[in-house]
Every structure is written in C-alpha cells, then in structure tokens.
Amino acid sequence: MRLPAVPIKSVVAFVVLMTAAVVDAAEGSNPESPPSTALPRATPESQGVASSAITSFIKAADAEVDSMHSFMLVRHGKVVAECWWAPEAADKPHILWSLSKSFTSTAVGLAAEEGRLDIDDPVLKFFPEEAPANPSDHLKAMRVRDLLTMTAGHDPLPRLAEEDHWVKKFLETPVPNQPGTKFLYNTPATYMQSAIVQKVTGQTVRDYLMPRLFEPLGIDEPTWDASPQGISIGGYGLYLKTEDIAKFGQLYLQRGRYNGKQLVPADWIKLATSKQTENADAPSGRNPDWRQGYGFQFWRCRHGVYRGDGKDGQFCVVMPKFDAVVVMTANSRDLQGQLALVWEHLLPAFESAPLPENEAAREALRQSAGKLTASR
C-alpha cells in the first residue's frame, strides 16, 4: 500500500495568473479542435475577485496552516489563482485521503443510473457467499443508502486488517443500531460501496470511473490503492493532482456537466450534496462545519456550501451561490481552522460583476506567493 509523503519542513510557492491572451489559447481558438479538458485561466478581477483578497488568504494560510501543499481557486469556471508549496507541484499527484469518498459515491450514482444497483438494495444482496450464517435483523436491513450516508448502524466501527477478508469482516461486525438512524463516520462503509460497484460491474471503482469520469475530465491514469482482495479501497487511497480535484468540483458545481456533456446525472448531484442525515451530535460536531448535515459522501458546510474532504486538510469546496470552487491540499492539524480561512478571506471577496483590472495588486500577489516559506 502506498504511503503519504513525509510532512514538508520548508516550502516555496508560486501563483499563476493568466493574461487574456493566454486564456484564449487555453480555451482553444481552433473551432475544429476538440474541447480542452483543462480549466481555462483568467485574472481574478475579470471574474469578480480582488487579487488583494487572494493575497490575504495565501498569507494567512501560509502562516496558520501546518502546512499548506497547494491551493486553487476557480470562479465562473476559470482558474484565477493557483499555487504549490515545494516539493508539491502542478504535475504531482497528492494523496486525497477521505476526499476519495466523494469519487466512490459518484461511482455508486453512475452504477445506479445504469440500472446495475438501487441505493435501497440491501447490502447482503450483493454478498451471499460472504454473509454470516445467521445475519442479524439490523444487518439484513442495511441498505446501500445507509453506507452512503454513514448510517450503517455500527458502533464501534469494523476494523479491517491486512490479513482480513475485508467484506467478510465488515459483515461479521455487530450492527447494534437500526441502519439509517445514527450517523457515525465509517470508512469501511465506503469500502463496501466500492466492493458493491466492483461486484455489479466486474471492474474496480478506479477502472469503472476511467471512461465515465476520469478520461472526460482529462485525469490521466489515477492511482487508487486496493484491499488485499484487489478492490479499490474507496474510502481513501486515491491520488490526484490539484487541478484534477478542481475539475471534479467544477463538474459538481455544473450539476454533472463538463465540456457540454452530462457525465453524472443532475438528480444524483442534488441528492449527493444535499442533507441526507443529521450529524449535529456526531463526535466531530464540536466544529461548526462538521455538523451541518451529511449527504452521500459529501459534507454540508455553512454559507450554503458543500465539500468533499480528507484527513490532513484535503478539501474540494463547492460554492453554488458564489459560482466558485476552492481546492486545498495540506498536512494540517486544524481542519476547521483551515476551512475558516476560506470563509474569512475569500467568501467576502466574491463580487457579482467584474472588477477593474489591477496590475499592481496582481504583482503584489505574485510577489507574496513567490516569497512563501513554511515556519514548521
């Protein structure tokens, strides 16, 4: 199994702010050429964001987050700022940890759209050979929907070890609570979603998503770690580049459309990102953005925002009201504090109309980003 990189001790970052001419080139001027899968670039002011606000965010993140690895801001479908802390780079995949879960639930949605499963199917339907001899009533009642909403009914959670058969171990774990009634963050439940997709499609989630999601988004050959049984782990283990994550967020922001094609059903996007279960009393409920409700492997946030997220500060924050996506990768000890910087510095900066171009502010942004060093 692939292990994450050692925490970074010192960093240097850079920001790319595209001119209008480069934006035209990125979008493609040849009408006969296929549409680019890359996100177009634009200046912050042209998309209604002040460069000074982005500078404030990057400075605060560099000072307060231990430690930032990358940041990308997309407004109105265009990248207006992006930076990496060395040795991270634009072309280097980064571990997503539990942000992987949002991709797994997307695979479940696509399999449901294709009629391969129903989210109200019982989990045991897919694993007759791995089921316990005398399954409990609660296990019999557990549905795919309960896996998606982190309400499978476990407490404590299944513990999957390298020597275990992971599906069997999950199904052997006692289910003391009625499924669908109690939120408990459950990474093994996401693994079961991956196992179900593989059962009904004959492909790992990674391979199943290649022609349906990864290739249309221009995501090249992603790595996804597997269980001892050769099943994509689902709840973690996916590695993607920063812009790959931004494309995924933009796809969801655009209700499943990308480059004019409907890749994911809009109805699934709405279900997956809306509040499906209450989580205000969950152990993570001490943090306000962890008790706004949970969808299908997406967290609800304050400000009408939703996100996929992972351990150590991997964030794909989708802001429908502001037509924006914020991506961050990090090795952070304070995820709520990291997310709060977005609310403090970026959210108030989103204007409804373009701003006057401000070359001095953009230069200050470039200079500030170019001088970043980590203090930890």
Side-chain angles (χ1 to χ4, degrees), residues 29 88-89 95 114 143 149 169 194 237 346:
S29 57
E88 303 303 322
I95 189 167
E114 294 173 0
R143 305 162 297 169
T149 58
K169 185 66 175 289
S194 177
L346 298 180

Side-chain angles (χ1 to χ4, degrees), residues 306-360:
Y306 63 86
R307 73 186 190 278
D309 79 19
K311 186 172 81 78
D312 296 342
Q314 323 317 316
F315 284 108
C316 179
V317 183
V318 182
M319 306 176 166
K321 291 196 299 185
F322 304 97
D323 196 22
V325 175
V326 174
V327 174
M328 296 178 284
T329 64
N331 186 26
S332 174
R333 301 294 176 266
D334 179 8
L335 272 63
Q336 179 63 76
Q338 181 183 340
L339 194 57
L341 295 177
V342 176
W343 312 150
E344 179 182 355
H345 297 279
L346 298 180
L347 192 143
F350 296 132
E351 301 290 346
S352 58
L355 303 173
E357 294 294 347
N358 190 334
E359 179 56 36

Side-chain angles (χ1 to χ4, degrees), residues 37-39 41 70 72 74 79 82 84 89-94 96 99 103 210 213-223 238-252 258 315-316 325-329:
T37 57
L39 293 167
R41 267 64 176 172
S70 71
M72 183 173 285
V74 185
V79 177
E82 53 192 315
W84 287 263
D91 61 353
K92 182 180 178 182
H94 195 283
L96 299 196
L99 178 51
F103 289 83
M210 280 303 301
L213 184 77
F214 293 135
E215 289 175 358
L217 293 181
I219 298 175
D220 299 324
E221 296 299 323
T223 298
L238 179 61
Y239 293 74
L240 293 178
K241 302 168 191 172
T242 304
E243 186 165 351
D244 296 337
I245 304 169
K247 292 173 182 177
F248 180 71
Q250 190 64 27
L251 172 74
Y252 266 75
Y258 199 83
F315 284 108
C316 179
V325 175
V326 174
V327 174
M328 296 178 284
T329 64

Side-chain angles (χ1 to χ4, degrees), residues 113 255 262 264-274 296:
E113 175 69 12
R255 299 178 180 87
Q262 192 74 36
V264 181
D267 289 346
W268 179 263
I269 300 285
K270 183 177 180 180
L271 283 172
T273 62
S274 61
F296 291 165

Side-chain angles (χ1 to χ4, degrees), residues 290-301:
W290 272 256
R291 52 185 175 88
Q292 303 301 314
Y294 194 79
F296 291 165
Q297 311 286 279
F298 284 89
W299 295 86
R300 296 292 307 177
C301 311

Side-chain angles (χ1 to χ4, degrees), residues 2-36:
R2 188 173 174 182
L3 297 176
V6 175
I8 296 171
K9 299 299 183 183
S10 64
V11 299
V12 177
F14 63 90
V15 168
V16 179
L17 299 171
M18 310 296 284
T19 66
V22 177
V23 171
D24 289 341
E27 291 178 334
S29 57
N30 183 353
E32 296 181 356
S33 64
S36 172

Side-chain angles (χ1 to χ4, degrees), residues 159-180:
R159 298 179 64 87
L160 308 180
E162 191 71 23
E163 65 272 14
D164 292 330
H165 186 291
W166 286 16
V167 168
K168 285 184 178 180
K169 185 66 175 289
F170 181 93
L171 297 176
E172 290 169 355
T173 302
V175 186
N177 302 299
Q178 177 68 32

